[in-house]
């Protein structure tokens, strides 16, 4: 069949030209919307500027075809062969290309928005500045393809092969790259914010200057990767392998990376404000200094000498434990949730609700804080819903006074990391006391909680600093004695806490000083 015959029959309403032989034909500018060219041989054909929207080209051969500017919107090209074809500026939006072969195909500035390229072969294809928004590239082969400056926002690249692919300056915001193969890929200055890269293989990939804010890299393999100047703020790096990765001046503000392997990695100049520093593997890590300022402007620098960085990156999270000598009841659980919600509205240091461990006899509330200096002030606030609050707060004030007295008596005392530490502690506590007064006056939930038997039960308050040292700031004399016959007191075990019949014993000065010596204070 000749080109003229095909066009004549199409004009007469014939759409089915399945299996037609038209290699090297010139159909440029033709209007063939909805035509059926499945299984056709269209190799080396010229379809530049043609309209093939909604056409069926499944299993068709279009190798070395000229398709620049062609309209293939919503066309079916499943298992079609388009190797070395010219599809520059082609419209393939919503096209179906499942299993299609596009080896070394030119797709510069082509529109593949919402196209289905499941298991398609795009090896060495040129997709520079292409649009692949929300495209399905699951299991696709993009080995050594060029996508520089392309848009892949919301695309599905799960388990895709992007080995040595050029994705530099791409917009990959919110894309799914779970378990993708990205070994030696170029992602420099790419925007991967909110992308899912969990389990992906990024060994030796170039991510320098990349935007990985809020990205999920949990379990990803980044061994040997270049992350110089990358923004990983709020990223999930849980159990991520960063062996020998270069994180020089990378932004890791509020990143989560418990279980990450930083063996042999370089972190000099990394921005680590509000980033946890425990549960990490840091053997052989290189780090001369880190930036701990809230905005990463180098206003707070921590310098390291020799093995100082190893201690810094292996701290224990500072915690406050409130151990209540009673099993938690539903009513108390509800009341405390409300109380801590209201406290958090006034006290920003209580960012997260406590973790809770409820047993048959005791209940443990654990609060995590960002720094050692926040331990005493946060404990002062956290105990508010309980009857033991007044006694605990009194102990905290006396312990801090012991620290102040010791510093005044021994101005050259080397027990503390910095002379500013005590000043910072006092300032935080003073602000907290003011907040506590406001909370007690305004928050009705505290009154509800305080009336419950659970909140009247004896308690222990234990602080753990970043050096894993503990300090009991309050231990109710009746803690652990709930089964003793106390009928002579003519009161229940829960009703006499406010009477303070027994003198509360403070920890010794040596215990307090040793505890404070274990603080990791950040110098300004």
């Amino acid at each position: 069949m000749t080109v003229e015959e095909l066009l004549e029959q199409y004009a007469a309403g014939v759409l089915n030209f399945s299996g037609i032989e038209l290699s090297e034909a010139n159909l440029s500018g033709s209007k063939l919307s909805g035509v059926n060219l499945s299984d056709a041989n269209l190799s080396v054909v010229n379809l530049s500027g043609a309209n093939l929207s909604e056409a069926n080209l499944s299993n068709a051969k279009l190798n070395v075809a000229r398709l620049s500017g062609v309209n293939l919107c919503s066309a079916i090209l499943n298992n079609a062969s388009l190797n070395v074809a010219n599809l520059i500026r082609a419209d393939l939006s919503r096209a179906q290309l499942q299993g299609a072969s596009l080896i070394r195909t030119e797709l510069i500035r082509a529109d593949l928005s919402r196209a289905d390229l499941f298991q398609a072969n795009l090896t060495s294809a040129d997709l520079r500045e292409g649009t692949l928004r929300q495209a399905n590239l699951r299991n696709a082969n993009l080995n050594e393809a060029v996508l520089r400056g392309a848009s892949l926002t919301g695309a599905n690249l799960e388990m895709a092969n992007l080995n040595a692919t050029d994705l530099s300056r791409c917009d990959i915001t919110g894309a799914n790259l779970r378990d993708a193969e990205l070994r030696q890929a170029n992602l420099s200055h790419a925007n991967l914010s909110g992308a899912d890269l969990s389990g992906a293989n990024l060994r030796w990939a170039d991510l320098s200057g990349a935007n990985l804010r809020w990205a999920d890299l949990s379990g990803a393999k980044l061994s040997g990767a270049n992350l110089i100047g990358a923004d990983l703020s709020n990223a999930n790096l849980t159990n991520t392998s960063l062996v020998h990765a270069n994180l020089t001046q990378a932004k890791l503000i509020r990143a989560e990376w418990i279980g990450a392997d930083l063996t042999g990695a370089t972190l000099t100049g990394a921005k680590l404000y509000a980033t946890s520093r425990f549960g990490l593997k840091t053997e052989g890590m290189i780090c001369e200094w880190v930036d701990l300022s809230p905005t990463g402007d180098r206003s707070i620098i921590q310098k390291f000498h020799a093995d100082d960085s190893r201690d810094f990156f292996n701290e224990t999270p500072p915690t406050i434990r409130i151990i209540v000598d009673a099993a938690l009841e539903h009513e108390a659980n509800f009341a405390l949730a409300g109380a801590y919600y209201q406290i958090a509205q006034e006290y920003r240091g209580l960012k997260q609700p406590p973790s809770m461990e409820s047993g048959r006899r005791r209940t443990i509330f654990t609060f995590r804080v960002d720094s050692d200096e926040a331990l005493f002030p946060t404990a002062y606030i956290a105990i508010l819903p309980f009857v033991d609050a007044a006694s605990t707060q009194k102990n905290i004030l006396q312990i801090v006074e012991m620290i102040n007295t010791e510093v005044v008596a021994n101005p050259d005392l080397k027990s503390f990391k910095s002379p500013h530490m005590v000043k910072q502690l006092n300032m935080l506590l003073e602000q907290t006391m003011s907040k506590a007064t406001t909370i007690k006056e305004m928050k009705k939930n505290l009154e509800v909680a305080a009336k419950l038997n659970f909140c009247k039960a004896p308690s222990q308050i234990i602080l753990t600093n970043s050096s894993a040292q503990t300090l009991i700031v309050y231990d109710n004399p009746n803690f652990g004695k709930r089964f003793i016959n106390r009928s002579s007191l003519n009161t229940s075990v829960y009703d006499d806490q406010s009477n303070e019949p027994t003198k509360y014993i403070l920890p010794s000065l040596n215990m307090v000083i040793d505890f404070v010596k274990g603080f990791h204070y950040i110098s300004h």
Side-chain angles (χ1 to χ4, degrees), residues 170-457:
C170 278
D171 186 354
I172 318 175
T173 308
N176 175 9
L177 289 138
R178 279 195 302 267
D179 300 311
E181 175 62 53
L182 288 146
R183 187 163 48 89
Q184 294 184 312
N186 182 359
L187 288 146
S188 62
H189 297 95
N191 184 356
L192 288 145
S193 59
D196 185 352
L197 289 142
S198 56
N201 183 5
L202 288 145
R203 289 187 177 99
W204 306 104
D206 184 359
L207 288 146
S208 56
N211 179 357
L212 288 151
R213 293 171 64 88
W214 296 98
D216 185 354
L217 287 145
S218 57
K221 302 166 188 71
L222 285 146
S223 302
N226 178 1
L227 288 147
I228 296 173
D231 188 349
L232 290 141
S233 301
N234 296 290
N236 182 359
L237 292 154
T238 306
N239 298 320
T240 301
S241 174
L242 291 152
V243 176
H244 293 291
N246 192 340
L247 288 145
T248 302
Q249 295 192 35
K251 197 172 185 180
L252 288 147
I253 293 173
R254 300 187 189 280
E256 183 60 68
W257 58 354
I258 293 172
D261 190 347
L262 291 154
T263 303
T266 303
L267 266 88
T268 298
K271 306 174 195 303
L272 295 169
Y273 175 77
T275 300
S276 60
R277 301 192 299 272
F278 60 93
L280 303 170
K281 295 180 183 176
T282 58
E283 187 176 352
M285 188 178 68
I286 301 164
C287 188
E288 296 174 6
W289 61 276
V290 291
D291 182 350
L292 296 163
S293 57
T295 58
D297 61 3
R298 301 194 186 187
S299 58
I300 305 174
I301 296 295
Q302 178 74 49
K303 295 180 180 179
F304 303 116
H305 301 286
D307 293 330
D308 287 354
S309 64
R310 186 176 298 180
D311 292 336
F312 179 85
F313 284 100
N314 282 282
E315 294 181 4
T316 299
T319 59
I320 299 145
R321 279 181 297 155
I322 298 175
I323 306 171
V324 182
D325 197 19
L328 184 64
E329 300 161 344
H330 286 296
E331 187 181 10
N333 187 26
F334 179 76
L336 285 168
Y340 283 126
Y341 171 76
Q342 290 198 332
I343 289 170
Q345 303 306 298
E346 295 292 328
Y347 185 72
R348 297 176 68 182
L350 210 65
K351 296 174 185 176
Q352 293 181 325
S355 61
M356 187 175 64
E357 183 182 339
S358 182
R360 291 184 177 181
R361 295 186 178 182
R362 287 179 183 168
T363 307
I364 304 172
F365 298 93
T366 304
F367 299 81
R368 274 178 54 180
V369 293
D370 290 335
S371 65
D372 288 313
E373 302 93 80
L375 281 169
F376 290 113
T378 308
Y380 190 95
I381 282 282
I383 194 63
L384 275 176
F386 297 90
V387 172
D388 277 344
S391 301
T392 303
Q393 291 171 339
K394 182 180 177 182
N395 273 21
I396 289 169
L397 294 176
Q398 288 180 315
I399 288 167
V400 173
E401 186 56 37
M402 287 164 68
I403 297 167
N404 291 328
T405 302
E406 186 68 8
V407 171
V408 172
N410 299 283
D412 298 325
L413 190 69
K414 295 181 180 179
S415 299
F416 308 108
K417 303 291 181 184
S418 165
H420 298 290
M421 189 278 293
V422 177
K423 184 178 179 182
Q424 176 79 357
L425 172 58
N426 281 298
M427 182 184 72
L428 287 171
L429 188 57
E430 189 175 329
Q431 292 172 351
T432 301
M433 290 169 66
S434 176
K435 289 286 184 185
T437 302
T438 303
I439 291 165
K440 284 190 285 186
E441 289 174 352
M442 295 175 59
K443 306 302 180 184
K444 299 298 181 185
N445 277 37
L446 292 180
E447 295 177 12
V448 174
K451 292 176 182 177
L452 300 173
N453 280 345
F454 178 81
C455 293
K456 295 177 183 179

Side-chain angles (χ1 to χ4, degrees), residues 319-320 375-376 379 461-465 469-473 515:
T319 59
I320 299 145
L375 281 169
F376 290 113
I461 292 80
I462 304 172
L463 311 186
T464 303
N465 65 21
Q469 295 168 299
T470 59
L471 182 73
I472 300 173
V473 296
F515 182 73

Side-chain angles (χ1 to χ4, degrees), residues 7 35 63 76 81 96 112 114 116 124 141 182 219 222 239 356 448 451 471 507:
L7 293 174
V35 71
N63 298 319
I76 302 169
S81 183
Q96 294 180 42
L112 288 139
R114 298 179 185 272
D116 187 355
S124 300
N141 186 356
L182 288 146
L222 285 146
N239 298 320
M356 187 175 64
V448 174
K451 292 176 182 177
L471 182 73

